[in-house]
Amino acid sequence: MSFVTYEAKDLIGIVTINREKALNALNTQVLNDLEEVIDGVDYDTIRCLIITGAGKKSFVAGADIGEMAEDTKAEGKEFCEHGNRVFRKIETLPIPVIAAINGFALGGGCELSMACDIRIASDNAVFGQPEVGLGITPGFGGTQRLMRRIPVGKAKEMIYASINIKAEEALKWGLINAIYPQDELLPAAEKLANRIAAQAPIAVRAAKAAMNEGIDVPMDEAIQVEVKHFSDCFETADQKEGMKAFMEKRKHEPFQN
Ligand code: HXC
């Protein structure tokens, strides 16, 4: 049995972490299942992914504390590297990924959401990196991504003092883009995913690659990243058709993959 389910809906895919009785906590099997599902997506067809958690209470309540409790240093390192490898894979997927955060996003759950391109949340969502209260640091990218998503001082406050924040505050700091009532979260995620899927797909992929490749490099290098991805678009049929349609004041033909 897999702890991660996948549903393809036309041009978008929905990945659900499904270990509800442990609030979708990530143990080794969940990480393996997540990677298997991510690897199995048909990226020739699917143009946007949504990642969410099963149930109405939790997105992911963290890495599995029970599994880590007796770990040696070497085992802790292995688990840390495992989660980081899977999350980095998600972050660098060719297509955009939306985290639909339906409740607790703590520790590894907050970290999973931060590996996604876009985060939207339900009104009961709670975010935090409470690891120092367990005697560890965040270990699935939290020490690095939180301060890249929100102001460094706020990230340090949350991590050093183990402070969880509710959806409203996460919105204020820009950690999430929007808040929805629980029942409206997934429909909103699907609406956004479908809007992304309706754009020129090669251009969307190029825009994601350009932003990902450019974010941590000096500006002169970052601009060269953009120059490359921008100019590559001129070899696509979508660019020819998209611009021709605009000039002819008509709707463009369906974009190609
Ligand atoms: C294992 C977990 C879990 C976790 C919840 N559960 N979070 N099991 N690992 N991270 C389990 C509980 O043990 C319980 O199992 C069931 O889920 C329901 O949880 P409750 O605590 O009874 O629910 P509630 O009282 O509503 O509290 C919800 C909660 C709390 C506030 C989210 O569960 C909580 O604080 N969880 C831990 C959050 C956390 O510290 N996350 C960071 C983990 S470290 P039973 O069997 O009793 O019903 C981390 C490191 C990442 O993520 C990097 C690693 C390298």
Side-chain angles (χ1 to χ4, degrees), residues 7-72:
E7 182 189 6
K9 275 188 160 180
D10 194 15
L11 298 175
I12 69 169
I14 304 172
V15 175
T16 306
I17 316 280
N18 194 350
R19 193 185 171 216
E20 214 178 323
K21 71 177 173 51
L23 303 185
N24 304 322
L26 303 170
N27 60 18
T28 299
Q29 194 194 330
V30 180
L31 285 175
N32 284 335
D33 292 346
L34 179 58
E35 186 168 27
E36 198 179 316
V37 163
I38 294 292
D39 285 346
V41 171
D42 173 12
Y43 293 102
D44 291 337
T45 306
I46 298 298
R47 297 182 181 181
C48 186
L49 278 185
I50 295 169
I51 299 183
T52 193
K56 289 185 183 294
K57 190 171 168 184
S58 183
F59 173 68
V60 166
D64 192 297
I65 299 168
E67 186 176 293
M68 285 184 291
E70 301 297 328
D71 273 359
T72 61

Coordinates of all heavy atoms in Angstrom, one line a residue, residues 7-72:
E7 N -3.7 11.5 -8.8 CA -4.8 11.6 -9.8 C -4.5 12.6 -10.9 O -4.2 13.7 -10.6 CB -6.1 12.0 -9.0 CG -7.3 12.1 -9.9 CD -8.5 12.7 -9.2 OE1 -8.3 13.3 -8.0 OE2 -9.6 12.8 -9.8
A8 N -4.5 12.1 -12.1 CA -4.3 13.0 -13.2 C -5.7 13.5 -13.7 O -6.6 12.7 -13.8 CB -3.6 12.3 -14.4
K9 N -5.8 14.8 -13.8 CA -7.1 15.4 -14.3 C -6.8 16.2 -15.5 O -6.4 17.4 -15.4 CB -7.7 16.3 -13.2 CG -8.5 15.6 -12.1 CD -9.1 16.7 -11.2 CE -10.3 16.2 -10.4 NZ -10.9 17.2 -9.6
D10 N -7.0 15.6 -16.6 CA -6.6 16.3 -17.9 C -5.2 16.8 -17.9 O -4.3 15.9 -17.9 CB -7.6 17.5 -18.1 CG -7.6 18.0 -19.5 OD1 -7.0 17.3 -20.4 OD2 -8.1 19.1 -19.8
L11 N -4.9 18.1 -17.8 CA -3.5 18.6 -17.9 C -2.9 18.8 -16.6 O -1.7 19.2 -16.5 CB -3.5 19.9 -18.7 CG -4.0 19.8 -20.1 CD1 -4.1 21.2 -20.8 CD2 -3.1 18.9 -21.0
I12 N -3.6 18.5 -15.5 CA -3.0 18.8 -14.1 C -3.0 17.4 -13.3 O -3.7 16.5 -13.6 CB -3.7 19.9 -13.3 CG1 -5.1 19.4 -12.9 CG2 -3.8 21.2 -14.2 CD1 -5.8 20.4 -11.9
G13 N -2.1 17.4 -12.3 CA -2.0 16.2 -11.5 C -2.1 16.5 -10.0 O -1.6 17.6 -9.6
I14 N -2.7 15.7 -9.3 CA -2.9 15.9 -7.8 C -2.2 14.8 -7.0 O -2.6 13.7 -7.2 CB -4.4 16.1 -7.4 CG1 -5.1 17.1 -8.3 CG2 -4.5 16.4 -5.9 CD1 -6.6 17.2 -8.1
V15 N -1.2 15.2 -6.2 CA -0.5 14.3 -5.4 C -1.0 14.5 -4.0 O -0.9 15.6 -3.5 CB 1.0 14.6 -5.5 CG1 1.8 13.7 -4.5 CG2 1.5 14.5 -6.9
T16 N -1.4 13.4 -3.3 CA -1.9 13.5 -2.0 C -1.1 12.6 -1.0 O -1.0 11.4 -1.2 CB -3.4 13.1 -1.9 OG1 -4.1 13.9 -2.9 CG2 -4.0 13.3 -0.5
I17 N -0.6 13.3 0.0 CA 0.1 12.5 1.1 C -1.0 11.9 2.0 O -1.8 12.7 2.5 CB 1.0 13.4 2.0 CG1 1.8 14.4 1.1 CG2 1.9 12.6 2.9 CD1 3.1 13.9 0.5
N18 N -1.0 10.6 2.1 CA -2.2 9.9 2.7 C -1.8 9.0 3.8 O -1.7 7.8 3.7 CB -2.9 9.2 1.6 CG -4.3 8.8 2.0 OD1 -4.7 8.9 3.2 ND2 -5.1 8.2 1.1
R19 N -1.5 9.6 4.9 CA -1.2 8.9 6.2 C -1.9 9.6 7.3 O -1.2 10.1 8.2 CB 0.4 8.9 6.4 CG 0.8 7.8 7.4 CD 2.3 7.9 7.7 NE 2.7 7.1 8.8 CZ 3.6 7.4 9.7 NH1 4.3 8.6 9.6 NH2 3.9 6.6 10.7
E20 N -3.2 9.7 7.1 CA -4.0 10.6 7.9 C -3.9 10.3 9.4 O -3.9 11.2 10.2 CB -5.4 10.5 7.5 CG -6.2 11.8 7.6 CD -7.6 11.7 7.1 OE1 -7.9 11.0 6.1 OE2 -8.5 12.4 7.7
K21 N -3.7 9.0 9.8 CA -3.8 8.8 11.3 C -2.5 9.3 12.0 O -2.5 9.5 13.2 CB -4.0 7.3 11.6 CG -3.0 6.3 11.3 CD -3.4 4.9 11.8 CE -2.5 3.8 11.4 NZ -1.1 4.0 11.7
A22 N -1.5 9.6 11.2 CA -0.3 10.2 11.8 C -0.1 11.6 11.3 O 0.9 12.2 11.2 CB 1.0 9.4 11.5
L23 N -1.3 12.2 10.9 CA -1.3 13.6 10.4 C -0.4 13.8 9.2 O 0.2 14.8 9.0 CB -1.0 14.6 11.5 CG -2.0 14.6 12.7 CD1 -1.7 15.7 13.7 CD2 -3.4 14.6 12.3
N24 N -0.3 12.7 8.4 CA 0.5 12.7 7.2 C 2.0 12.9 7.4 O 2.7 13.4 6.6 CB 0.0 13.7 6.2 CG -1.5 13.5 5.8 OD1 -1.9 12.3 5.8 ND2 -2.3 14.5 5.7
A25 N 2.5 12.5 8.6 CA 3.9 12.7 8.9 C 4.7 11.8 7.9 O 4.3 10.8 7.5 CB 4.2 12.2 10.4
L26 N 5.9 12.3 7.7 CA 6.8 11.7 6.6 C 7.8 10.8 7.3 O 8.7 11.2 7.9 CB 7.6 12.8 5.9 CG 6.8 14.0 5.3 CD1 7.7 15.1 4.8 CD2 6.0 13.4 4.1
N27 N 7.5 9.5 7.1 CA 8.6 8.5 7.4 C 9.3 8.1 6.1 O 9.0 8.6 5.0 CB 8.0 7.3 8.2 CG 6.9 6.5 7.4 OD1 6.9 6.7 6.2 ND2 6.1 5.8 8.1
T28 N 10.2 7.1 6.2 CA 11.0 6.7 5.1 C 10.1 6.2 4.0 O 10.3 6.6 2.8 CB 12.0 5.7 5.5 OG1 12.9 6.2 6.4 CG2 12.8 5.2 4.3
Q29 N 9.1 5.4 4.3 CA 8.2 4.9 3.3 C 7.4 6.0 2.6 O 7.3 6.0 1.4 CB 7.2 3.9 3.8 CG 6.6 3.1 2.7 CD 5.4 2.3 3.0 OE1 5.3 1.8 4.2 NE2 4.5 2.1 2.1
V30 N 6.9 7.0 3.4 CA 6.2 8.1 2.7 C 7.1 8.8 1.7 O 6.7 9.2 0.6 CB 5.6 9.1 3.8 CG1 4.8 10.2 3.1 CG2 4.7 8.3 4.7
L31 N 8.3 9.1 2.1 CA 9.3 9.8 1.2 C 9.5 8.9 0.0 O 9.5 9.5 -1.1 CB 10.6 10.0 2.0 CG 10.6 11.1 3.0 CD1 12.0 11.2 3.7 CD2 10.3 12.5 2.4
N32 N 9.7 7.6 0.2 CA 9.9 6.7 -1.0 C 8.6 6.7 -1.9 O 8.8 6.8 -3.1 CB 10.1 5.3 -0.6 CG 11.6 5.1 0.0 OD1 12.5 5.9 -0.4 ND2 11.8 4.2 0.8
D33 N 7.5 6.7 -1.3 CA 6.2 6.7 -2.1 C 6.1 8.0 -2.8 O 5.6 8.0 -4.0 CB 5.0 6.5 -1.2 CG 5.0 5.0 -0.6 OD1 5.7 4.2 -1.1 OD2 4.2 4.8 0.4
L34 N 6.4 9.1 -2.1 CA 6.3 10.4 -2.8 C 7.2 10.5 -4.0 O 6.8 10.9 -5.1 CB 6.6 11.5 -1.7 CG 6.6 13.0 -2.2 CD1 5.2 13.3 -2.7 CD2 7.0 13.9 -1.0
E35 N 8.4 10.0 -3.8 CA 9.4 10.1 -4.9 C 8.9 9.2 -6.1 O 9.0 9.6 -7.3 CB 10.8 9.6 -4.5 CG 11.8 9.8 -5.6 CD 13.2 9.6 -5.1 OE1 13.5 8.9 -4.1 OE2 14.1 10.2 -5.7
E36 N 8.4 8.0 -5.7 CA 7.9 7.1 -6.8 C 6.7 7.8 -7.6 O 6.7 7.7 -8.8 CB 7.4 5.8 -6.2 CG 7.3 4.7 -7.1 CD 6.8 3.4 -6.4 OE1 7.4 3.1 -5.3 OE2 5.9 2.7 -7.0
V37 N 5.8 8.4 -6.9 CA 4.7 9.1 -7.5 C 5.2 10.2 -8.4 O 4.8 10.4 -9.6 CB 3.7 9.6 -6.5 CG1 2.7 10.6 -7.1 CG2 2.9 8.4 -6.0
I38 N 6.1 11.0 -7.9 CA 6.7 12.2 -8.6 C 7.4 11.7 -9.9 O 7.3 12.2 -11.0 CB 7.7 13.0 -7.7 CG1 6.9 13.6 -6.6 CG2 8.5 14.0 -8.5 CD1 6.0 14.7 -6.9
D39 N 8.2 10.6 -9.7 CA 8.9 10.0 -10.9 C 7.9 9.4 -11.9 O 8.3 9.4 -13.1 CB 9.8 8.9 -10.4 CG 11.1 9.4 -9.7 OD1 11.3 10.6 -9.8 OD2 11.8 8.6 -9.1
G40 N 6.7 9.0 -11.5 CA 5.8 8.4 -12.4 C 4.9 9.3 -13.2 O 4.2 8.9 -14.1
V41 N 5.0 10.6 -12.9 CA 4.1 11.6 -13.5 C 4.5 11.7 -15.0 O 5.7 11.7 -15.4 CB 4.2 13.0 -12.9 CG1 3.4 14.0 -13.7 CG2 3.6 12.9 -11.4
D42 N 3.5 11.8 -15.9 CA 3.8 11.9 -17.3 C 4.0 13.4 -17.6 O 3.0 14.1 -17.9 CB 2.6 11.3 -18.1 CG 2.7 11.6 -19.6 OD1 3.8 12.0 -20.0 OD2 1.7 11.4 -20.3
Y43 N 5.2 13.8 -17.6 CA 5.5 15.2 -17.8 C 5.4 15.7 -19.2 O 5.5 16.9 -19.5 CB 6.9 15.5 -17.2 CG 7.0 15.4 -15.7 CD1 7.6 14.2 -15.1 CD2 6.4 16.3 -14.9 CE1 7.6 14.1 -13.8 CE2 6.5 16.1 -13.5 CZ 7.0 15.0 -13.0 OH 7.0 14.8 -11.6
D44 N 5.1 14.8 -20.1 CA 4.8 15.2 -21.5 C 3.4 15.7 -21.6 O 3.1 16.5 -22.5 CB 5.0 14.0 -22.5 CG 6.5 13.6 -22.6 OD1 7.3 14.5 -22.3 OD2 6.7 12.4 -23.0
T45 N 2.6 15.3 -20.7 CA 1.2 15.7 -20.7 C 0.8 16.7 -19.6 O 0.1 17.7 -19.8 CB 0.2 14.5 -20.6 OG1 0.6 13.5 -21.6 CG2 -1.2 14.8 -20.7
I46 N 1.2 16.3 -18.4 CA 0.9 17.1 -17.2 C 1.6 18.5 -17.2 O 2.8 18.5 -17.4 CB 1.1 16.3 -15.9 CG1 0.3 15.0 -15.9 CG2 0.8 17.1 -14.7 CD1 -1.2 15.3 -16.0
R47 N 0.9 19.5 -17.0 CA 1.5 20.9 -17.0 C 1.6 21.6 -15.7 O 2.3 22.6 -15.6 CB 0.7 21.7 -18.0 CG 0.7 21.2 -19.4 CD 0.0 22.1 -20.4 NE 0.0 21.6 -21.7 CZ -0.6 22.2 -22.7 NH1 -1.2 23.4 -22.5 NH2 -0.6 21.7 -23.9
C48 N 1.0 21.0 -14.7 CA 1.1 21.6 -13.3 C 0.7 20.5 -12.3 O -0.2 19.8 -12.5 CB 0.2 22.8 -13.2 SG 0.3 23.7 -11.6
L49 N 1.4 20.5 -11.2 CA 1.1 19.5 -10.1 C 0.6 20.3 -8.9 O 1.0 21.4 -8.6 CB 2.4 18.8 -9.7 CG 2.8 17.6 -10.5 CD1 4.0 16.9 -9.7 CD2 1.7 16.5 -10.7
I50 N -0.3 19.6 -8.2 CA -0.7 20.1 -6.9 C -0.3 19.0 -5.8 O -0.5 17.8 -6.1 CB -2.3 20.2 -6.8 CG1 -2.7 21.3 -7.8 CG2 -2.8 20.5 -5.4 CD1 -4.2 21.3 -8.0
I51 N 0.3 19.5 -4.7 CA 0.6 18.6 -3.6 C -0.3 19.0 -2.4 O -0.3 20.2 -2.0 CB 2.1 18.6 -3.2 CG1 2.9 18.1 -4.4 CG2 2.3 17.7 -2.0 CD1 4.4 18.0 -4.1
T52 N -1.0 18.0 -1.8 CA -1.8 18.3 -0.7 C -1.7 17.1 0.3 O -1.1 16.1 0.0 CB -3.3 18.6 -1.1 OG1 -4.0 19.2 0.0 CG2 -4.0 17.4 -1.6
G53 N -2.4 17.3 1.4 CA -2.5 16.2 2.4 C -3.9 15.7 2.6 O -4.9 16.4 2.3
A54 N -4.0 14.4 2.9 CA -5.3 13.8 3.1 C -6.0 14.3 4.4 O -5.3 14.6 5.4 CB -5.2 12.3 3.2
G55 N -7.3 14.4 4.3 CA -8.0 14.9 5.5 C -8.2 16.4 5.6 O -7.7 17.1 4.8
K56 N -8.8 16.8 6.7 CA -9.1 18.2 6.9 C -8.3 18.8 8.0 O -8.5 20.0 8.4 CB -10.6 18.4 7.2 CG -11.5 18.1 6.0 CD -12.9 18.5 6.4 CE -13.9 18.1 5.2 NZ -13.7 19.0 4.0
K57 N -7.3 18.1 8.5 CA -6.6 18.6 9.7 C -5.1 18.9 9.4 O -4.6 19.9 10.0 CB -6.6 17.5 10.8 CG -6.2 18.0 12.1 CD -6.4 17.0 13.2 CE -5.7 17.3 14.5 NZ -5.9 16.3 15.5
S58 N -4.5 18.2 8.5 CA -3.1 18.3 8.4 C -2.6 18.2 6.9 O -3.1 17.3 6.2 CB -2.4 17.2 9.2 OG -1.0 17.4 9.1
F59 N -1.7 19.1 6.5 CA -1.0 18.9 5.2 C 0.1 17.8 5.5 O -0.1 16.7 5.1 CB -0.4 20.3 4.9 CG 0.5 20.3 3.7 CD1 0.0 20.0 2.4 CD2 1.9 20.5 3.8 CE1 0.9 20.0 1.3 CE2 2.7 20.5 2.7 CZ 2.3 20.3 1.5
V60 N 1.1 18.2 6.3 CA 2.1 17.2 6.8 C 2.6 17.8 8.1 O 3.0 18.9 8.2 CB 3.2 17.1 5.8 CG1 4.4 16.4 6.4 CG2 2.8 16.4 4.5
A61 N 2.4 16.9 9.2 CA 2.8 17.4 10.5 C 4.3 17.2 10.8 O 4.7 17.2 12.0 CB 1.9 16.8 11.6
G62 N 5.1 17.0 9.8 CA 6.5 16.9 10.0 C 7.1 15.6 9.6 O 6.4 14.7 9.1
A63 N 8.4 15.5 9.8 CA 9.0 14.2 9.6 C 8.5 13.3 10.8 O 8.1 13.8 11.8 CB 10.5 14.3 9.6
D64 N 8.6 12.0 10.6 CA 8.1 11.1 11.6 C 9.0 11.1 12.8 O 10.2 10.6 12.7 CB 7.9 9.7 11.1 CG 7.1 8.8 12.0 OD1 7.6 8.5 13.1 OD2 6.0 8.4 11.6
I65 N 8.5 11.6 13.9 CA 9.4 11.7 15.1 C 9.7 10.3 15.7 O 10.9 10.1 16.1 CB 8.7 12.6 16.2 CG1 8.5 14.0 15.6 CG2 9.6 12.7 17.5 CD1 7.6 14.9 16.4
G66 N 8.8 9.5 15.7 CA 9.0 8.1 16.2 C 10.1 7.4 15.4 O 10.9 6.7 16.0
E67 N 10.2 7.6 14.1 CA 11.2 6.9 13.3 C 12.6 7.5 13.6 O 13.6 6.8 13.6 CB 10.9 7.1 11.8 CG 11.8 6.3 11.0 CD 11.5 6.3 9.5 OE1 10.5 5.7 9.1 OE2 12.3 6.9 8.7
M68 N 12.6 8.8 13.9 CA 13.9 9.5 14.2 C 14.4 9.3 15.6 O 15.6 9.5 15.8 CB 13.8 11.0 13.9 CG 13.8 11.4 12.5 SD 13.7 13.2 12.4 CE 12.1 13.6 13.0
A69 N 13.5 9.0 16.5 CA 13.8 9.1 18.0 C 15.1 8.3 18.4 O 15.9 8.8 19.2 CB 12.7 8.6 18.8
E70 N 15.4 7.2 17.8 CA 16.5 6.4 18.2 C 17.7 6.4 17.2 O 18.6 5.6 17.2 CB 16.1 4.9 18.4 CG 15.0 4.7 19.5 CD 15.5 5.1 20.9 OE1 16.7 5.0 21.2 OE2 14.6 5.5 21.6
D71 N 17.6 7.4 16.3 CA 18.6 7.4 15.2 C 20.0 7.8 15.7 O 20.2 8.6 16.6 CB 18.2 8.5 14.1 CG 17.3 7.9 13.1 OD1 17.0 6.8 13.1 OD2 16.9 8.7 12.2
T72 N 21.0 7.2 15.1 CA 22.4 7.6 15.3 C 22.7 8.8 14.4 O 21.8 9.2 13.6 CB 23.3 6.5 14.9 OG1 23.1 6.2 13.5 CG2 23.1 5.2 15.7

